[in-house]
Amino acid sequence: MSQLYLTGASPSSGADIRDVATAHVPFRTGRLILWAVILLVVLNFAWIVANNENFGWPVVAAYLFDPTVMSGLYVSLWLTVVAMVLGTILGLVLAIARMSKDGLARSSAGLFIWFFRGTPLLVQLIFWYNLSTLFPQISIAIPFGPALASWDTNSVITPITAAIVGLALNEAAYMAEIIRGGLLSVDRGQAETAEAFGMTRGRALWRIIIPQAMRSIVPPTGNQLISMIKATSLVSVIAMADLLYSVQSIYNRTFEIIPMLLVAVIWYLFITSILNIGQSYIEAYYGRGERQNGAGAKPAAAGAAVEANH
Amino acid sequence: MNAVQTTKPLVRARDVHKSFDQLEVLKGIDLDIMPGEVVVILGPSGSGKSTFLRCINHLEAIHKGLIEVDGEQMGYRIRNNRLEKLSANAIARQRRKIGMVFQQFNLYPHMTVLQNIIEAPVGVHGESRKEASQNAMKLLERVGLLEKANNYPRQLSGGQQQRVAIARALAIKPKLMLFDEPTSALDPELVGEVLATMRDLAKQGLTMIVVTHEISFAREAADRVVFMDDGKIVEMGRPEDVIGNPQHSRTQAFLSRFL
């Protein structure tokens, strides 16, 4: 017994077999079978879908690049971009107001967020679209005093403005909370250091705090952006010709409901996939200095680790 | 040090009081610090020494008394014969001649070492990027980290990070340097390199206020040692007197733990 143990532990004997560098992974039969079964099921399902005439794949192919669909896609895309940009800017302002020492700024930002997160987006869109029934005239005026300028509400609130305002204000409420969370995630010492070096609050925020907060702001913002693309489909209720509205307008004529919805689905998936890729690049950018993931940065990190051990 | 009696003190603290909620942490501090003087503040945890340091550059507001740096009252000004609070931007301007080194280093993790150092000179003091970078490289050489200019803080050891933090504070060409327990977060074997850098600065005539637990540093580098306990200055004087021959029982009790 002890003889066996000793030879096993002795480095000079053939015990080198216990050196983990020589280890190999045994063949996992069970896992291979599982893989094969799942692959078979998936392929079979794909085959069934592809050969099911009810899906109308030829129709899907015919309309995928239809001019109406293209213009709807274009509307969905720019509406997403405009609403997201406006929503993020306003969200940043709200987040800063919410964290301010000033009670008025804090409570008005809180009220805004409470209202716009607390009501359904669809309802908000319909309200904006029908604003003229509440306020037939929009004026710039001295409070309780005379109007300086005045417009007919229906000329200001078109489907486009209603869609932009509705989506952006709603988005701002969510972005405000995401940005606030990001700002709070940055170590308090960073703001203090910026302060000690005589930076103004704005500069400290812009140069020191926000770049660090981005690491926790980007992932949920990617979520929001993808939600936003799909949320633009809600504007079809206020007669805005977005992607969903354009496929609806086609199937109302041709009655090819399922194939046309598939066209929309394919485009939504295509856009969100591209956004996912973009998001991972942005995350890598703001993660710099945090952890070295890229292959190119590895030697530097390893060198630093060796250095740090001195 | 031969403090010339005729020159004006760089830092003047008069009857400084500070409370956190109900707890009074500073109970009347009076202290003058001359240009070029190296003052080490010793004292047990909770004695208020870090708080006092942070009051000097107005990171903490005081509740009574006054603090003056370079002839300017920190955080306030007199207008129409009344004392009024300065705006945040005006306070930021007052801080620009004071460098500070923190216990936790607080380097900006998203910037390289070089970017860390030139951030304030370029962004706050309006130096050109080129001029600031040249100066930063000189400072890095001085703290022995020239080859780390393009590394991120995360890639450096604690001692190296703190030396970068010192270079960063020096880059604004401060009239006064504040050190808030600069070696307390370091592994014991890394303390020496940071203290050596600080000893170097002390020799070159920089005005320094150092809050620390490093008695040996106080003995070798300080012109004056201030011992604080329970929000007050208990004893101060030359290091050989305060450390070598403490008069007050609380100073004796504190120092006995280090012998």
Side-chain angles (χ1 to χ4, degrees):
Chain A
M1 275 291 277
S2 68
Q3 185 65 28
L4 262 175
Y5 176 77
L6 277 176
T7 48
S10 161
S12 57
S13 72
D16 286 337
I17 194 165
R18 291 183 58 182
D19 183 347
V20 293
T22 66
H24 76 284
V25 181
F27 189 72
R28 314 248 191 240
T29 321
R31 185 186 296 181
L32 189 78
I33 291 170
L34 193 64
W35 268 87
V37 169
I38 289 172
L39 201 66
L40 210 63
V41 169
V42 169
L43 280 175
N44 184 238
F45 183 72
W47 193 82
I48 289 169
V49 169
N51 284 283
N52 186 333
E53 286 183 1
N54 296 332
F55 279 89
W57 291 113
V59 182
V60 172
Y63 279 97
L64 195 58
F65 297 101
D66 185 89
T68 314
V69 173
M70 286 295 103
S71 74
L73 179 65
Y74 175 72
V75 168
S76 282
L77 279 179
W78 75 249
L79 193 57
T80 302
V81 171
V82 170
M84 198 68 198
V85 167
L86 290 177
T88 307
I89 294 170
L90 184 57
L92 177 65
V93 173
L94 285 169
I96 293 168
R98 197 121 200 250
M99 294 169 75
S100 132
K101 284 182 198 141
D102 185 77
L104 182 65
R106 219 171 35 233
S107 48
S108 24
L111 194 69
F112 181 100
I113 294 166
W114 169 77
F115 183 80
F116 284 96
R117 283 202 311 178
T119 51
L121 176 56
L122 185 58
V123 174
Q124 289 173 29
L125 282 171
I126 296 171
F127 254 102
W128 283 111
Y129 188 52
N130 295 297
L131 196 66
S132 61
T133 57
L134 293 174
F135 307 102
Q137 295 274 316
I138 297 177
S139 314
I140 295 176
I142 297 160
F144 301 107
L148 303 174
S150 188
W151 295 274
D152 188 19
T153 303
N154 275 328
S155 68
V156 179
I157 300 291
T158 60
I160 296 171
T161 46
I164 291 175
V165 170
L167 290 172
L169 292 189
N170 185 265
E171 191 57 31
Y174 285 93
M175 284 308 296
E177 289 296 274
I178 289 172
I179 293 171
R180 189 171 69 98
L183 296 179
L184 286 174
S185 76
V186 178
D187 177 23
R188 172 81 193 105
Q190 292 288 315
E192 198 165 72
T193 306
E195 229 179 296
F197 275 86
M199 288 187 208
T200 57
R201 291 231 175 94
R203 186 174 175 88
L205 208 56
W206 189 246
R207 292 284 303 170
I208 308 299
I209 308 300
I210 290 178
Q212 294 182 58
M214 287 303 274
R215 269 167 41 75
S216 43
I217 291 175
V218 170
T221 303
N223 247 353
Q224 286 303 113
L225 189 56
I226 285 170
S227 299
M228 172 66 90
I229 286 177
K230 292 178 293 175
T232 56
S233 65
L234 289 177
V235 302
S236 55
V237 301
I238 56 172
M240 188 67 186
D242 75 313
L243 181 55
L244 183 64
Y245 186 90
S246 65
V247 300
Q248 282 172 335
S249 72
I250 294 172
Y251 70 58
N252 283 339
R253 202 174 63 229
T254 64
F255 301 109
E256 308 265 24
I257 297 175
I258 296 293
M260 289 319 295
L261 286 179
L262 282 174
V263 168
V265 164
I266 289 170
W267 279 116
Y268 282 123
L269 281 175
F270 177 72
I271 298 165
T272 50
S273 310
I274 289 183
L275 289 177
N276 280 336
I277 296 168
Q279 185 185 338
S280 58
Y281 277 103
I282 294 173
E283 276 176 31
Y285 174 78
Y286 283 108
R288 75 193 188 282
E290 202 50 41
R291 210 172 288 121
Q292 306 293 324
N293 291 324
K298 254 181 187 155
V306 170
E307 198 64 36
N309 285 333
H310 288 327
Chain B
M1 112 140 221
N2 352 310
V4 188
Q5 296 303 318
T6 50
T7 54
K8 275 178 54 181
L10 185 65
V11 179
R12 260 165 44 102
R14 285 291 173 275
D15 193 30
V16 171
H17 288 255
K18 164 83 187 169
S19 309
F20 291 111
D21 295 322
Q22 299 300 314
L23 184 72
E24 193 174 33
V25 287
L26 297 180
K27 302 174 179 173
I29 303 281
D30 290 284
L31 186 64
D32 279 1
I33 291 166
M34 291 295 164
E37 204 178 6
V38 176
V39 173
V40 171
I41 304 179
L42 298 174
S45 307
S47 58
K49 52 194 194 306
S50 274
T51 305
F52 176 60
L53 193 76
R54 294 157 55 81
C55 288
I56 293 175
N57 63 352
H58 205 71
L59 278 184
E60 305 279 359
I62 62 176
H63 295 134
K64 187 178 180 332
L66 75 91
I67 291 180
E68 240 179 55
V69 176
D70 199 24
E72 272 185 76
Q73 182 170 3
M74 295 302 290
Y76 300 86
R77 68 169 172 190
I78 292 177
R79 202 159 165 233
N80 300 331
N81 239 350
R82 290 176 63 195
L83 192 65
E84 74 174 18
K85 259 189 172 167
L86 286 174
S87 69
N89 284 356
I91 294 171
R93 223 167 294 127
Q94 286 188 327
R95 289 187 179 121
R96 287 176 192 171
K97 49 189 158 191
I98 307 173
M100 189 164 192
V101 174
F102 297 85
Q103 184 175 354
Q104 301 293 340
F105 329 137
N106 293 0
L107 293 178
Y108 311 129
H110 59 300
M111 296 182 184
T112 63
V113 164
L114 183 64
Q115 288 167 339
N116 260 279
I117 297 176
I118 66 172
E119 177 60 29
V122 173
V124 179
H125 296 260
E127 279 180 40
S128 75
R129 193 162 285 273
K130 190 170 163 239
E131 180 191 357
S133 302
Q134 281 170 353
N135 186 39
M137 294 313 261
K138 267 184 227 148
L139 289 167
L140 277 176
E141 196 169 11
R142 196 158 146 195
V143 299
L145 290 170
L146 196 54
E147 75 284 2
K148 299 292 184 197
N150 294 314
N151 285 59
Y152 284 96
R154 185 66 48 110
Q155 300 167 330
L156 307 183
S157 73
Q160 292 171 333
Q161 287 190 47
Q162 193 61 300
R163 279 144 67 198
V164 171
I166 292 173
R168 176 178 67 172
L170 290 173
I172 63 167
K173 305 183 179 83
K175 287 195 165 179
L176 171 68
M177 279 279 277
L178 307 176
F179 293 84
D180 186 7
E181 305 206 22
T183 56
S184 298
L186 294 175
D187 290 335
E189 77 268 24
L190 302 177
V191 169
E193 56 186 88
V194 172
L195 290 183
T197 307
M198 288 168 60
R199 236 177 259 123
D200 228 39
L201 297 177
K203 272 187 216 133
Q204 288 163 25
L206 188 65
T207 314
M208 294 165 58
I209 307 177
V210 184
V211 168
T212 186
H213 290 288
E214 296 292 332
I215 306 290
S216 64
F217 175 80
R219 194 183 287 126
E220 293 160 35
D223 296 312
R224 190 151 47 120
V225 172
V226 174
F227 179 76
M228 277 179 72
D229 191 20
D230 194 28
K232 288 189 208 112
I233 293 178
V234 174
E235 196 169 344
M236 74 178 157
R238 295 184 309 164
E240 50 269 41
D241 295 335
V242 176
I243 298 170
N245 184 22
Q247 298 303 306
H248 203 284
S249 62
R250 277 188 287 180
T251 321
Q252 288 162 1
F254 175 78
L255 288 169
S256 68
R257 284 188 279 136
F258 293 92
L259 299 175

